[in-house]
Amino acid sequence: VQLQASGGGLVQPGGSLRLSCAASGSIFSINVMGWYRQAPGKQRELVAAIIIGGKTNYADSVKGRFTISRDNAKNTVYLQMNSLKPEDTAVYYCNLLYNTATGRALGSWGQGTLVTVSS
């Protein structure tokens, strides 16, 4: 299974970006799709996740500013990031928890996309 993330870049404080992550490969069903981020010198942290059925979960630091959504037909997850702050600067990674046709529960990470918020 491969995850292809895109949409990162340089944006000014207060600006917006939309990240996308498309999953491909031997996926029978998806349990959770999410976004994590890792800033320099810090641990990777959960930003947002969306589970089967559409329930969402957000880090307190992004609530009200970020929105996670999912296109089930395309196995794609999006992260709309508004009102960006310099502290949002990080490499953003998408994550997938899925089931194979043989019933195995597995996880996969995308390659990361850099988001830089700076004036």
Side-chain angles (χ1 to χ4, degrees):
V1 170
Q2 294 183 332
L3 300 179
Q4 183 65 46
S6 61
L10 173 64
V11 63
Q12 292 185 343
S16 298
L17 280 176
R18 189 191 193 210
L19 305 183
S20 300
C21 179
S24 61
S26 300
I27 300 169
F28 179 74
S29 63
I30 293 175
N31 294 324
V32 183
M33 298 188 84
W35 289 94
Y36 289 72
R37 67 186 180 188
Q38 187 165 19
K42 295 188 177 181
Q43 291 187 334
R44 190 173 297 189
E45 62 175 357
L46 174 68
V47 177
I50 185 166
I51 66 173
I52 186 170
K55 184 177 180 181
T56 57
N57 184 36
Y58 295 93
D60 288 342
S61 60
V62 306
K63 284 180 180 177
R65 300 188 297 122
F66 291 10
T67 302
I68 189 169
S69 60
R70 174 176 159 181
D71 186 331
N72 293 327
K74 296 181 179 180
N75 283 345
T76 299
V77 63
Y78 305 96
L79 186 68
Q80 178 66 43
M81 304 185 294
N82 299 327
S83 302
L84 282 161
K85 304 175 181 180
E87 50 263 43
D88 294 318
T89 296
V91 177
Y92 284 70
Y93 298 91
C94 58
N95 177 262
L96 173 69
L97 300 180
Y98 66 98
N99 298 311
T100 68
T102 58
R104 297 180 67 193
L106 299 175
S108 184
W109 288 96
Q111 82 280 14
T113 184
L114 177 62
V115 172
T116 302
V117 184
S118 175
S119 55

